[in-house]
Amino acid sequence: MKIDTLLFDLDGTLINTNELIIASFLHTLDQYKPGEYTREHAIEFIGPPLRDSFESVDDARVDEMIQTYRTFNHEKHDELVTEYEGVYETIERFHKEGYKLAIVTTKIRQTALMGLKLTGLDQFFDVVIGLDDVERAKPDPEPLEKALNALGSSKESAMMIGDSLFDVEAGKNLGVPTAVVGWSIKGPEKIKTFEADYTLSNMRDLLAIVGVEKQ
């Protein structure tokens, strides 16, 4: 079965929000637990929903911490977010070729839309499934299933593309092929342990993998 549907994670996959996320975590952690957390800790927190990360820090003040994080994150968003090389033209090409495209993210929808709009990618994505659209986040397959339903697609013709273990596991749990981006902040050694079907060195690699361009 030919792939005609592509489900993308957003942060660390299409747009480079790493510095924004790290700065937001460090700003928040420094306020609640001064001097206890480093940049390396913040990198570990990238991927899961905020609630899961902050529960491990101080489960009595999770809501406060989420609020502090999001306020800072939104204030600094446009200053610190950039897109990855090759992403815009690749997504534009898929859109022109008639592929069905969706974003599946553990961010709340409002923040995801900010990133898409800033990078001009919003015009290519009719479907955005955020954390507030689901009961269970990735690696549960629910967000991917919601995206497929909204696109009118079946899993037999879909693929999941992301940068974290949660993205790859969500794809595997649904039973679709998976691709992980080689520019993941988690680093090449960690990426190998995800055991995705494909590793991309540039988003353009995806064009050949799904057959838009000859390999």
Side-chain angles (χ1 to χ4, degrees), residues 26-47:
L26 291 177
H27 166 80
T28 307
L29 293 164
D30 209 44
Q31 198 165 315
Y32 290 90
K33 298 276 180 173
E36 285 185 34
Y37 288 87
T38 63
R39 182 182 170 89
E40 280 61 44
H41 290 119
I43 290 172
E44 284 299 307
F45 286 149
I46 296 176

Side-chain angles (χ1 to χ4, degrees), residues 136-205:
R136 297 175 303 281
K138 296 177 291 190
D140 192 278
E142 184 200 341
L144 285 63
E145 288 166 346
K146 274 214 153 150
L148 292 178
N149 288 339
L151 291 167
S153 290
S154 71
K155 67 178 189 179
E156 284 71 31
S157 61
M159 182 177 206
M160 177 70 206
I161 302 100
D163 71 313
S164 79
L165 181 60
F166 289 105
D167 300 316
V168 176
E169 284 187 342
K172 288 181 181 179
N173 289 338
L174 183 61
V176 301
T178 56
V180 65
V181 299
W183 50 93
S184 168
I185 196 167
K186 305 291 186 185
E189 291 310 310
K190 194 78 183 264
I191 288 172
K192 279 186 200 140
T193 68
F194 300 169
E195 297 183 345
D197 297 302
Y198 303 96
T199 301
L200 311 176
S201 58
N202 185 294
M203 193 56 81
R204 287 188 286 267
D205 296 349

